[in-house]
Each structure stands twice: as structure tokens, then as C-alpha cells.
Amino acid sequence: MDKRFYITTPIYYVNDKPHIGHAYTTLACDALARFQRLDGKNVKFLTGTDEHGQKVEEAANKAGIDPQSFTDSVSQNFQDLAVRMNFSNDEFIRTTSARHKATCQKLWNILIEKGHIYLGKYAGWYSVRDEAYYTETEIVDGKAPTGAPVEWVEEPSYFFDLSKWQDKLLAFYEANPDFVAPSSRFNEIKSFVSGGLKDLSVSRASFKWGVPVPNDDDHVMYVWLDALTNYLTATGWLDDDAGYKDHWPADVHMVGKDIVRFHAVYWPAFLMAADLPLPKRVYAHGWWTNEGQKISKSVGNVIDPHALVDEFGLDQTRYFLLREVPFGNDGDFARSAMIQRINSDLANDLGNLSNRVQSLIVKNLEGVHPDMPSAPTADDRELLEACDGLLSSVRTSFSQQQFHEGLKAIWEVISRANRYVDNQAPWALKKTDPPRMAEVLAVLMETIRTCAILVQPVMPQSANSLLDQLKVPSDKRDFAAIGGARRDDLPVHIEKPQAVFPRFVEAEE
Ligand code: ME8
């Protein structure tokens, strides 16, 4: 098994505060990074901020602050969010760092040496909001296809010979059918590339806030060449150190659907041109709307992730975002759906199950963890087999970034356990058959232990509280601890449980 795993988020523009969309992408990466660590991989999880370009320069000007101080403060908001959301990124990269700038210049020099960059003149449309060039045919009613305003730009520019990479890109897509997911996004990319590629302007000469082009003070690099290179910077490619060889190519670049073209066309073309290995996968997730409406500053309906955590709780928010919407689809944030998930999936299905079972053990067995049945019944076996099969199905779902499917599979076992507890009625067995009651509680404890281990990537704090209650030692919480052979090492004595997943009650008006 390949033991290393490198996952990246987009680096976010520091023109504004982070919102739910930014939190969502990084959360998905965090869940996957945590999953892979628990599954025995050596993980590198990178996030950071994209601090150059005209959009950031304009935002700084508007705030009346020099761009560096402005980016320092806005980048800090993203770093604070990562702490607040309990993201486990190994590194937070900033594109204004000296090391990153030097890495961009190294890549640039290689592309120059290999003859893939030449000086010319750009005349065409540019959207500052998208930091993207658009052709005449892409303009709709005087706007970018994304709806962003465009301006006419004419300036000297360096170009990357993107047009020469069409066939190689198509051949690469053909040979790597999992390179872009979901497949609908991959089809869009293939048809875009099949339609022909124009050389790409990779420098700007009308402002200064960017990585200087080597040997030409009049130009700064196009912000996307600079930004994409962050994935290499973080590996130590600049100094060719061991980290680079250990971690490149990336296993997953997680992005939103708005920026898949940059990651699935431009980035592989730059890398091929520099003779560097290509990332294994680009996953483009969908967009969140708020109660059915597009999220936008002008509508005033931007969802602040801090506010969600304040009101609903951290793990509740994390669970909702990954469970509610099939990953890859667009999703709508509805308060009622959030409350439903908290009260039904978390408080009732998992929280009550675990409280009920532990309380019965405390009450009826003096807190002593019962032994597994020596001769399990068909019902016992059915539930235990469902538990033991769970890791492999959740692993498949997570490795395809289908987080909602993985969570659904866990909750199917939790529902099964709830049916089992009702059918077996351990509270009644207390009077009629105490040894059988103990067996039933042992099977249920095993189910709760398995599910608690498996929900750690999505709800790390709550899962830990649950595993603390079950007295599972901290070195027995990884995925190697799941399954038949491992359940016998279980601890001995538990105490009266506290609710880990409280119900959400709407505050009185
Ligand atoms: O594009 N729903 O940065 P950015 C879901 N700097 N995700 C959303 C979202 C929404 N409503 N809004 C934003 C950039 N996102 C570049 C990236 S990478 C080398 C450079 C998420 O600040 C989603 O992941 O505009 C999207 O791709 C990203 O934020 C865009 O962030």
C-alpha cells in the first residue's frame, strides 16, 4: 500500500473574510486527511491564502491599507477559522512568503529554459473578480460567463504555449479516467480542451502586486501561475529536498467547481511543460446557496462559519455540511435541515443509543463492561458483521470523496443497532435472563465503539468524548482497532455517561 497521502485545498483570496464555502472545502479535506491518518497513512494536508493579484490589490486600496498589511490581516482570519473549525492542516501557506516567490521563479525559469514562455502582447477581456481572461466568444451580455464584470486589457505580456498541450492533455485524460471527478466536470473539461486551446497570458504589466518575473521588472506573474505553484512550494521542491519526493505528486487537489479549469487544464499543462509529475486527482465540489438563494455580498446573505459554530456547535456544523449534500452536488443551507440533522441523526440515533446502553451498564452491571457473547445469536452476528464490514465500505466512499455515503453507511449500522436494542429489550432481560442482557449490551458497546472510531474524521471532538466515555485507550482509536480480533482488549469500567450530542432547542422569541 502507498503509505503517503498529500491533499490540498485551494488557497483562498484574501480580498474578504472567509465564508461557509471556504470552510466547506477545507472541511472536506480535513475529514479526508483525518481519515487517511487513522487508516495508517503519512498525510500532508495543505491549505493557505492566495495573496497577490489585482483583486487583492484593489481590496487593499479600498481599505486604504498597503497590500502587505492588508493581506497579513485577512490571511489571519483564514488561519483563525482553521483553528476554530478544528482543521488539522499540517501547513498554512501564504503566497507572499519569500520561499513561495522563489519557487514560482524557479518554475518560471524552467518554463523559459524549455522554451514554453515567450513575450507578446495581450489584447482581450479580463475579469478581476475571477482573475481570469475571457475570449470574445465567451462574453455574454458584456459580462464573463460567471456573471463577473470584465474589462478590456491591452498590455505587453508573457505567454505560456498552452495551445501546444491540447493533444497531450487529452491523452492524459484518456489514460487517467479518475483524474477529475465528478465525471460531469471531467466531461466539461474534456470538451473545453477538445475545442482548442489558446496560448495563455502568464504575466501582467499594469500593476505591481505579484511575484516579479525574473529578469523583467515590468511584469509580475499572472496570479494563477503563482497560486497553483503553492502546491509545489509546500513540498520543498525549491531545494529538491526529501519532502518533495515524499509528497509530490499530490493525491487530491480539492476545489470548488468554479476553479476546476485552472486545476485540470492549466496546472497539468504547466507541470508537463516543466517535466514534473501530475497530480492524481482533482475533485470539484458544488456550491452552497442560502435558503435557495445564491450567496453574495450584495444580497447580504453570506453565511459566516463562526456564527454556525456559535449557534449549532462545531461538530454539528461539520457533520451537517458533509452529510446533508451529496458531495459534488450544489447544496442549499436551510436552518430547518440543520436542526433536523442535529436532533435526529446526532441526538436521537447516536447520542441516545450510546447513553441508553452505557446507562444500562452502569445501572445493572455496576459499570463493568460485559464480555462478548461466547455463542452469538443470529441477531448478534448480523449486527457485528455489519460493524466489521463498515470500515471497508466507508473507506471506499471516502477514497472517492463521497463523504455523505460514508456517513450514511455508518448511520445505517446505528439504525440497525437501534432496532436491535428495541428487539432485544435488555431492560426486560434484566429480570428474565441477566447473562443474556450482558451479552446484548456487549454487542451494542461494540457497535458504538466502531461507529465512534469511524466518525472521528468528521466529528473529532465528539467522537473523542464518546471514546473517552467508553474508556477506549488513545492508542486504540485508529482504524486498525476496528474488527473482531480487537474488541477483546476493551476496557473494564465505565461511568454514568454525559450527553455528547445535545438536542437543539430553538430559543424562545
Ligand atoms: O478561487 N460554495 O479563491 P477563492 C462552496 N484563490 N464553495 C465555495 C463557495 C460556495 N458558495 N464559495 C467559495 C480562488 N467556495 C483562488 C484559488 S488555488 C491555487 C487558487 C470555495 O477565495 C470553493 O472551494 O475565490 C472555491 O473553489 C473556493 O472557495 C474559491 O476561493
Side-chain angles (χ1 to χ4, degrees):
M1 185 171 60
D2 188 1
K3 285 289 210 182
R4 36 127 254 138
F5 188 83
Y6 179 26
I7 181 165
T8 67
T9 74
I11 48 171
Y12 304 108
Y13 287 126
V14 289
N15 60 317
D16 208 350
K17 286 195 307 230
H19 65 64
I20 189 178
H22 307 117
Y24 182 57
T25 315
T26 314
L27 169 63
C29 292
D30 184 55
L32 190 48
R34 288 177 183 273
F35 188 96
Q36 297 292 358
R37 287 190 201 105
L38 289 164
D39 214 10
K41 296 260 176 78
N42 167 8
V43 172
K44 181 175 178 72
F45 166 22
L46 176 71
T47 187
T49 41
D50 188 354
E51 308 191 356
H52 290 128
Q54 207 171 346
K55 167 149 100 172
V56 170
E57 189 183 72
E58 286 180 6
N61 287 344
K62 207 168 146 208
I65 310 173
D66 71 277
Q68 189 62 58
S69 315
F70 180 76
T71 56
D72 287 347
S73 89
V74 184
S75 173
Q76 190 59 49
N77 294 336
F78 282 87
Q79 296 176 56
D80 294 345
L81 180 71
V83 174
R84 184 82 201 280
M85 297 288 299
N86 198 8
F87 294 150
S88 62
N89 50 295
D90 300 289
E91 196 175 328
F92 188 99
I93 192 166
R94 299 188 52 192
T95 55
T96 47
S97 67
R99 196 157 86 96
H100 174 70
K101 290 191 245 182
T103 308
C104 293
Q105 289 170 336
K106 175 176 170 178
L107 181 61
W108 181 281
N109 287 332
I110 292 176
L111 294 174
I112 289 270
E113 272 161 32
K114 293 183 182 287
H116 298 301
I117 288 182
Y118 61 90
L119 186 59
K121 185 167 182 261
Y122 180 76
W125 297 103
Y126 191 79
S127 159
V128 176
R129 192 170 95 190
D130 296 346
E131 294 284 18
Y133 302 94
Y134 290 108
T135 59
E136 194 65 54
T137 52
E138 286 175 299
I139 301 297
V140 189
D141 297 335
K143 294 206 159 148
T146 57
V150 289
E151 59 193 49
W152 185 258
V153 170
E154 275 190 42
E155 60 187 23
S157 175
Y158 286 91
F159 285 84
F160 170 72
D161 60 1
L162 185 64
S163 59
K164 297 206 184 109
W165 296 94
Q166 179 183 11
D167 292 344
K168 290 205 173 69
L169 283 167
L170 291 172
F172 174 74
Y173 300 152
E174 190 65 31
N176 295 276
D178 295 326
F179 178 58
V180 178
S183 56
S184 54
R185 298 276 165 238
F186 205 2
N187 291 337
E188 286 166 18
I189 288 298
K190 287 178 197 161
S191 74
F192 172 73
V193 174
S194 303
L197 295 171
K198 287 187 144 170
D199 287 356
L200 179 72
S201 162
V202 286
S203 77
R204 299 292 313 271
S206 48
F207 63 92
K208 287 280 165 227
W209 186 239
V211 179
V213 163
N215 308 316
D216 191 341
D217 293 343
D218 293 341
H219 292 255
V220 293
M221 288 181 204
Y222 172 40
V223 67
W224 270 100
L225 174 57
D226 157 357
L228 289 160
T229 306
N230 93 86
Y231 304 131
L232 276 180
T233 305
T235 64
W237 176 66
L238 179 62
D239 318 306
D240 276 323
D241 71 13
Y244 166 66
K245 293 195 186 64
D246 284 350
H247 288 291
W248 192 255
D251 292 81
V252 180
H253 289 318
M254 185 71 78
V255 299
K257 65 179 185 181
D258 51 324
I259 57 174
V260 58
R261 185 187 292 183
F262 300 94
H263 285 81
V265 181
Y266 303 163
W267 183 226
F270 296 153
L271 290 167
M272 280 187 207
D275 260 332
L276 292 167
L278 269 48
K280 295 184 193 154
R281 185 164 166 95
V282 174
Y283 193 97
H285 67 65
W287 271 48
W288 282 88
T289 50
N290 185 357
E291 308 281 352
Q293 272 200 311
K294 186 169 190 262
I295 296 178
S296 97
K297 249 173 65 171
S298 53
V299 181
N301 65 349
V302 172
I303 301 173
D304 174 2
H306 290 284
L308 291 184
V309 174
D310 286 342
E311 182 168 19
F312 299 106
L314 172 59
D315 282 347
Q316 284 78 357
T317 302
R318 290 176 55 115
Y319 175 77
F320 171 79
L321 292 174
L322 291 181
R323 175 65 188 86
E324 183 66 10
V325 176
F327 201 68
N329 294 6
D330 289 337
D332 184 44
F333 181 87
R335 198 185 156 76
S336 59
M338 169 77 105
I339 296 171
Q340 168 76 17
R341 290 278 173 206
I342 293 175
N343 288 343
S344 161
D345 300 12
L346 298 181
N348 280 353
D349 296 349
L350 178 56
N352 269 355
L353 172 72
S354 132
N355 261 17
R356 243 165 131 190
V357 169
Q358 292 188 74
S359 301
L360 283 168
I361 292 177
V362 170
K363 206 163 120 208
N364 299 329
L365 297 171
E366 293 173 344
V368 178
H369 194 296
D371 288 336
M372 291 298 279
S374 46
T377 66
D379 286 349
D380 300 346
R381 277 204 307 274
E382 202 193 307
L383 184 54
L384 290 172
E385 276 161 20
C387 274
D388 292 352
L390 203 46
L391 172 60
S392 124
S393 71
V394 178
R395 187 187 277 134
T396 304
S397 300
F398 272 59
S399 64
Q400 297 165 355
Q401 292 78 50
Q402 296 299 286
F403 307 107
H404 62 292
E405 289 288 354
L407 289 169
K408 205 163 117 198
I410 299 171
W411 258 260
E412 270 157 21
V413 171
I414 293 172
S415 301
R416 212 184 258 263
N418 276 309
R419 286 196 298 275
Y420 172 91
V421 83
D422 289 341
N423 291 340
Q424 304 290 323
W427 46 89
L429 290 169
K430 162 138 173 49
K431 297 193 193 89
T432 54
D433 189 352
R436 176 63 193 153
M437 173 200 70
E439 289 181 357
V440 166
L441 293 175
V443 170
L444 287 162
M445 282 290 273
E446 173 59 8
T447 311
I448 298 164
R449 181 184 77 99
T450 308
C451 293
I453 290 176
L454 281 168
V455 298
Q456 290 177 99
V458 175
M459 298 189 285
Q461 281 178 359
S462 311
N464 268 328
S465 306
L466 209 51
L467 291 163
D468 287 346
Q469 289 185 354
L470 304 182
K471 298 278 164 66
V472 175
S474 53
D475 62 347
K476 298 223 161 55
R477 295 181 179 190
D478 61 13
F479 295 160
I482 290 177
R486 298 308 179 107
R487 48 182 149 252
D488 303 325
D489 317 334
L490 272 186
V492 280
H493 203 277
I494 60 170
E495 281 132 48
K496 194 170 173 331
Q498 301 289 318
V500 174
F501 297 108
R503 284 188 74 75
F504 181 85
V505 184
E506 205 62 87
E508 297 275 330
E509 284 290 306

